[in-house]
Amino acid sequence: MILLSLRKKMILGTALLVVLVGSALGLLVKHELHSRFEDEILKRGLSVARYIAEAAEIPLITENKTSLEALVNDYRKLDKDIEYIYIVAPDNSLAAHTFGATVPQKLINESIKNLRSQGRKVILTTASGRIYDISTPVQGGALGSVHIGLYESLIDRNVEGVLMRMLPFVLVILVLGISAAILFAAAITRPIALLTGAVKRLSMGELNEPIAITSHDEIGHLARAFNSMTDKLRTTTVSREYMEKLIDSMNDVLIVISPEGVIQSVNHAYCELFGYQAEDVVGQCLTDFNELDAPLCMFSAFSHALEHGPIHGIESNCRTDHGDMVPMLYSLAVMRDEEGQPQAVICAAQNISNLKKIQDALHQKQAELEEVNRNLEGIVASRTAELAIGNEGLRAEVAERQRKTEELRAARDLAESANRAKSEFLANMSHEMRTPLNSIIGGTEYLDSAPLSEDQQRCLTMIRHAGDSLLVLINDLIDLSRIEAGQLEIISRPFDLKHTLEQVIHMVGQAAEQKNLTISLNSHPSLPQFVKGDQIRLQQILVNLIANAVKFTQEAGSITVTTSAASADNDQIPVTFVIRDTGIGIDPNKLDMIFESFSQADTSITRRFGGSGLGLAISRKLVEAMGGGIQVESMPGEGSTFSFTIPFHITSVVPRSRTITPAQEPASSVLALHDVPAGETKRVLLVDDSLENRQLMRLLLRSLPLELDEAGNGQEAFDLFTQNSYDLIFMDIQMPVMDGYTATRLIRRQEENSGCRRTTIVALTAHAYESDIQKCLDAGCDDHIAKPFKKRVLLDCLAHHLIPVSHQGDAT
């Protein structure tokens, strides 16, 4: 195979490929034909068996064996492809057959035995080959079964007949494939042969005859590349005379020495530099020269180059014909033939006299610089000593600054620790002060509906007013402390601005009515309905300012609240609020003082009107935290005007609100709770570690159709939840054993695992800040009521979560 030409290899490979494809196709066709003929024969045998089974029903019933024998023998004669036919009675005895005198009982037994496992087709192996025993029952097997025998050789004969008919077509395809391979091989090898001839001509030096390009394929591209290479060789080939002229034009000395040490040639630069003629040195051996003569001075380097390879940058002094010494820098390289044998040693040398002069001048300059350096070293040593003294002072200063930095860091850590302690103290104080106030305020609301004497009612009113004032003072103190600690929370979410203003007016309206004051709200048409910002803090600012105006305005006076909006800028719209009253006014010299904590413009004001002096201080800090500013204008006896501007974000989101409208009274919530259909008593679980709070809740809710259970901590609440079903759970947060957060999470997990309905959980806690509310919602609570709470808020919460919306509408 290796010795064959490329053309023969291509023809032979194509022929083998055609044979392999044809053989594979033949095997595939043979297998497919065998399967098809097998199916046809099986169908044919089954059809014959069914026909005989139908014809044999009456003879079998009448036990007419003669008719049965005639039936099977006649059909056997009609169809020569059938090997045998026999009918088996229900007791497996032969009723009729075509076997003649010799009955193959073993074959029959094996057929009947395998019939149970293989179905109606049983393949048997006999001495004559494989045979298909096809059977069909007579009347469902009640009268026996008919068996038809067909040899597999019948299928093979049919398959071979088809294959023989296909053989001429296969041979034609084989001949066509080999012919195509011959033509294809010729089309490829002919350009290769032309290319081979051109390479031989090139090796003989014939560069003037290009290759004829007859194709545009890869071989044609190769021929074009070869022609291009020939043209370049033709244009770049130079003569010996041209090379000699090129060498003579070099400025550097060039000497060619044979491996035996005989000088073969020198260039013109050698003759000019050393004063020799070319014929004086060519043909002489290196050993014929004196030790300092130009050729002999490189003899040791010549020997080294022959043994070890090229040498570069050897410096030596050579003597000219006139006796002058010339410094030279030379290199030697060995020229070798194709077998690696040395042909000559090429020596290239350069006159470095000018370079030596420059080096001498540089050495002189270097000596002068070294002298200057020694002088500079003395100066530097003197300056170094002076700097060392100064560095000692700097190190001492750095050490002092590091000490002060450590002191400042320790003071900062101490301040941060104190700030954390202050925050924890504020949280605990908020909770501890609100909890007893819950009992005070809630108790007064409960007693307010009881029949009391006039003195008792007056005393109850004083307690309620004192509790409300104490709650306001506690809230102001906590807010101021949180602001000063940098823990002020500004929550930005969509809210109804106009509705918020109406709510504020409603909140302070009762106090204004008691003093016969007129409060009016004027909103500019440009004021947006919905904005995004901190609604709670805005409401707190407005309540502080309007409540101050009510407090410091004489009876029959007036208070005007005006709102307007400027043009929107970058999705923000500045809203200005102006509160103008006809009160006592403020001295202009004391306007800055009123915004300081615990300060009022006149100490007599505290004695006359009361108050802690925190409202304006907190309001100013809240306005500034929300990105705005607050101003005041006032004159004694002419009233005061407070104005502030806060930028809000524009929003198209309509907020969901559950705030009680001014017209909604506690009676509506009570009515809705009492209007529950019979048999639907709601069951409520109250969780609180304070016995007083639980007793107060029971008193407030005892008139309602509620079944109230109690728990003193989160663990007890979870245990009761697993035992009972509740419609609503009031969950305290800060409790011993298990807090409200943990209990709520356990309840939600229990609901999820058991697949039961979600129970409404309302956080009833003294933790009243936005972060506390969000923490309760994150734990799984549905709502939040802050202690101390009003009875109206409690009843509204119950009505909202326990009564359907349609039922509430009917009650109201």
Side-chain angles (χ1 to χ4, degrees):
M1 188 71 178
I2 299 176
L3 299 177
L4 295 177
S5 64
L6 178 61
R7 184 168 178 268
K8 292 180 179 179
K9 289 179 181 178
M10 293 182 66
I11 296 172
L12 182 59
T14 305
L16 290 175
L17 180 61
V18 172
V19 170
L20 289 175
V21 173
S23 300
L25 182 61
L27 292 175
L28 180 62
V29 171
K30 182 179 180 181
H31 179 269
E32 184 64 22
L33 288 173
H34 187 280
S35 299
R36 290 179 180 270
F37 281 124
E38 182 182 15
D39 292 340
E40 291 295 330
I41 288 177
L42 292 178
K43 291 178 182 178
R44 175 183 170 187
L46 186 59
S47 176
V48 171
R50 288 174 177 172
Y51 173 78
I52 295 175
E54 291 176 359
E57 288 182 0
I58 296 175
L60 284 172
I61 294 173
T62 59
E63 296 183 353
N64 188 348
K65 290 189 175 183
T66 303
S67 298
L68 291 175
E69 291 289 344
L71 176 64
V72 297
N73 286 317
D74 291 344
Y75 209 93
R76 172 70 175 81
K77 293 176 183 179
L78 290 176
D79 195 340
K80 298 299 182 180
D81 293 333
I82 297 176
E83 180 64 22
Y84 60 79
I85 303 173
Y86 65 90
I87 301 174
V88 179
D91 59 353
N92 292 335
S93 62
L94 283 174
H97 62 85
T98 62
F99 294 116
T102 305
V103 177
Q105 191 62 43
K106 182 178 179 181
L107 183 144
I108 295 172
N109 294 338
E110 186 177 355
S111 174
I112 295 172
K113 177 183 177 181
N114 293 333
L115 185 62
R116 299 186 184 93
S117 60
Q118 299 183 14
R120 297 183 178 180
K121 180 187 73 174
V122 178
I123 301 176
L124 304 174
T125 303
T126 65
S128 301
R130 297 174 63 187
I131 190 168
Y132 295 91
D133 187 275
I134 305 168
S135 64
T136 185
V138 181
Q139 283 194 354
L143 299 177
S145 60
V146 178
H147 291 256
I148 305 296
L150 296 170
Y151 272 107
E152 189 182 23
S153 58
L154 176 62
I155 299 174
D156 296 335
R157 287 197 302 271
N158 292 331
V159 172
E160 290 174 359
V162 175
L163 291 178
M164 292 304 295
R165 289 194 294 274
M166 292 177 59
L167 182 60
F169 297 99
V170 174
L171 293 177
V172 170
I173 293 173
L174 179 60
V175 171
L176 292 176
I178 294 175
S179 301
I182 293 172
L183 295 175
F184 181 68
I188 293 179
T189 56
R190 188 181 298 111
I192 295 177
L194 295 176
L195 189 61
T196 303
V199 172
K200 290 180 180 179
R201 292 195 300 272
L202 178 63
S203 64
M204 297 172 62
E206 299 178 8
L207 304 177
N208 296 323
E209 186 177 353
I211 302 174
I213 300 173
T214 59
S215 62
H216 299 281
D217 53 9
E218 287 79 0
I219 297 178
H221 296 328
L222 181 61
R224 291 188 185 88
F226 188 83
N227 288 338
S228 177
M229 181 186 70
T230 304
D231 293 339
K232 291 180 180 179
L233 286 175
R234 189 187 305 115
T235 56
T236 56
T237 301
V238 295
S239 64
R240 181 180 179 84
E241 292 79 8
Y242 180 82
M243 290 299 297
E244 289 177 351
K245 290 180 181 178
L246 181 63
I247 292 173
D248 282 338
S249 64
M250 295 173 58
N251 293 326
D252 293 339
V253 173
L254 188 66
I255 306 173
V256 180
I257 308 169
S258 69
E260 293 78 16
V262 178
I263 298 176
Q264 294 180 338
S265 66
V266 294
N267 66 347
H268 184 68
Y270 174 87
C271 297
E272 286 187 351
L273 180 61
F274 294 103
Y276 293 103
Q277 295 298 321
E279 55 270 15
D280 296 338
V281 294
V282 173
Q284 295 191 31
C285 186
L286 294 178
T287 56
D288 296 339
F289 293 89
N290 294 324
E291 183 178 356
L292 294 179
D293 288 342
L296 186 61
C297 68
M298 63 187 73
F299 182 77
S300 59
F302 164 80
S303 302
H304 187 276
L306 279 176
E307 295 180 3
H308 304 288
I311 296 176
H312 303 284
I314 303 299
E315 185 177 336
S316 177
N317 289 323
C318 300
R319 186 167 54 192
T320 68
D321 183 43
H322 303 289
D324 299 330
M325 301 301 295
V326 179
M328 300 295 294
L329 184 69
Y330 59 89
S331 301
L332 289 91
V334 181
M335 184 173 65
R336 301 182 183 274
D337 58 15
E338 295 178 354
E339 298 178 354
Q341 297 298 323
Q343 291 183 321
V345 177
I346 310 299
C347 175
Q350 183 180 11
N351 184 2
I352 56 173
S353 299
N354 294 332
L355 182 62
K356 284 293 184 180
K357 293 179 182 178
I358 295 173
Q359 286 181 347
D360 292 341
L362 288 175
H363 286 314
Q364 183 179 358
K365 291 294 183 183
Q366 184 176 3
E368 295 175 357
L369 288 174
E370 289 177 354
E371 181 65 25
V372 172
N373 285 337
R374 284 192 291 271
N375 296 333
L376 287 175
E377 287 176 359
I379 297 172
V380 169
S382 176
R383 288 294 299 162
T384 301
E386 295 176 0
L387 289 174
I389 297 173
N391 287 339
E392 288 296 332
L394 289 175
R395 278 194 289 271
E397 184 177 351
V398 169
E400 179 64 21
R401 290 186 178 182
Q402 289 178 346
R403 183 181 65 79
K404 290 183 178 179
T405 301
E406 292 296 331
E407 292 178 354
L408 290 174
R409 187 179 293 111
R412 183 199 63 191
D413 294 341
L414 183 61
E416 291 177 352
S417 176
N419 191 33
R420 287 192 297 271
K422 179 180 179 181
S423 300
E424 294 175 0
F425 172 77
L426 290 175
N428 292 331
M429 287 301 296
S430 173
H431 183 273
E432 295 302 325
M433 287 188 293
R434 287 174 180 271
T435 299
L437 275 177
N438 186 59
S439 299
I440 295 173
I441 296 176
T444 57
E445 285 198 324
Y446 172 73
L447 292 176
D448 196 28
S449 60
L452 301 176
S453 64
E454 183 178 353
D455 294 338
Q456 291 172 337
Q457 185 64 43
R458 188 181 301 110
C459 181
L460 181 62
T461 303
M462 289 188 297
I463 296 174
R464 183 171 61 250
H465 289 168
D468 292 340
S469 300
L470 184 57
L471 178 60
V472 171
L473 179 59
I474 290 173
N475 289 338
D476 287 345
L477 287 172
I478 298 299
D479 280 342
L480 182 63
S481 300
R482 290 172 66 90
I483 291 172
E484 292 178 349
Q487 298 177 350
L488 179 63
E489 298 171 320
I490 300 299
I491 307 299
S492 182
R493 57 168 61 100
F495 68 95
D496 189 333
L497 178 59
K498 294 184 178 180
H499 180 69
T500 301
L501 292 170
E502 294 171 357
Q503 286 293 102
V504 170
I505 298 299
H506 175 71
M507 291 171 64
V508 298
Q510 186 175 4
E513 289 177 1
Q514 292 176 357
K515 296 182 66 174
N516 195 22
L517 301 179
T518 301
I519 297 183
S520 59
L521 174 61
N522 300 324
S523 296
H524 195 272
S526 63
L527 189 71
Q529 177 79 22
F530 303 109
V531 294
K532 186 178 181 182
D534 196 326
Q535 178 189 17
I536 303 300
R537 296 303 183 185
L538 173 63
Q539 182 173 298
Q540 183 178 355
I541 297 168
L542 290 171
V543 168
N544 282 342
L545 295 178
I546 299 175
N548 267 359
V550 171
K551 180 166 59 174
F552 296 114
T553 302
Q554 304 289 346
E555 291 189 2
S558 64
I559 300 170
T560 304
V561 179
T562 305
T563 58
S564 61
S567 300
D569 183 18
N570 293 332
D571 195 34
Q572 282 192 338
I573 181 168
V575 179
T576 301
F577 304 85
V578 180
I579 297 91
R580 186 174 291 106
D581 63 64
T582 60
I584 61 175
I586 307 170
D587 189 342
N589 297 327
K590 298 181 179 180
L591 290 178
D592 294 335
M593 183 189 304
I594 62 174
F595 289 107
E596 296 179 4
S597 302
F598 306 102
S599 297
Q600 291 184 338
D602 192 344
T603 56
S604 62
I605 293 177
T606 304
R607 294 190 298 270
R608 180 179 175 186
F609 296 97
S612 61
L614 294 177
L616 292 178
I618 293 174
S619 298
R620 183 185 67 175
K621 293 181 183 295
L622 290 177
V623 170
E624 293 173 351
M626 296 169 71
I630 188 169
Q631 298 83 30
V632 59
E633 297 178 0
S634 181
M635 289 295 293
E638 297 181 5
S640 303
T641 300
F642 288 84
S643 61
F644 63 94
T645 302
I646 296 177
F648 293 103
H649 289 278
I650 302 174
T651 181
S652 59
V653 178
V654 178
R656 297 179 60 187
S657 177
R658 200 173 59 81
T659 307
I660 300 175
T661 61
Q664 188 175 354
E665 296 297 333
S668 63
S669 298
V670 176
L671 179 60
L673 290 169
H674 276 294
D675 202 19
V676 176
E680 293 187 12
T681 301
K682 303 296 182 179
R683 191 168 186 178
V684 177
L685 174 61
L686 173 61
V687 186
D688 199 316
D689 62 320
S690 173
L691 178 61
E692 292 81 3
N693 286 339
R694 299 204 302 270
Q695 291 175 344
L696 174 63
M697 285 287 289
R698 185 170 291 279
L699 290 173
L700 293 175
L701 302 178
R702 70 178 182 177
S703 61
L704 301 177
L706 301 175
E707 183 180 350
L708 190 64
D709 292 345
E710 298 181 14
N713 55 62
Q715 184 62 55
E716 293 180 5
F718 180 71
D719 293 340
L720 287 174
F721 174 79
T722 58
Q723 300 170 10
N724 304 292
S725 176
Y726 293 100
D727 297 288
L728 184 141
I729 300 175
F730 284 116
M731 181 69 70
D732 190 15
I733 297 300
Q734 186 171 325
M735 296 182 293
V737 183
M738 180 186 292
D739 59 28
Y741 299 128
T742 306
T744 302
R745 293 189 184 98
L746 289 176
I747 290 173
R748 294 307 185 205
R749 190 179 307 160
Q750 177 70 18
E751 292 174 341
E752 183 178 353
N753 295 336
S754 61
C756 60
R757 65 175 179 83
R758 181 183 176 93
T759 303
T760 302
I761 301 178
V762 179
L764 188 62
T765 174
H767 296 289
Y769 291 103
E770 284 288 338
S771 58
D772 300 322
I773 298 173
Q774 189 60 46
K775 192 174 180 181
C776 293
L777 297 178
D778 294 340
C781 293
D782 300 291
D783 206 341
H784 178 278
I785 297 178
K787 296 178 183 177
F789 55 83
K790 299 290 185 178
K791 183 178 180 180
R792 183 192 65 184
V793 176
L794 180 65
L795 296 179
D796 176 62
C797 177
L798 287 169
H800 176 76
H801 291 291
L802 296 182
I803 308 302
V805 175
S806 60
H807 208 85
Q808 292 182 34
D810 296 340
T812 56

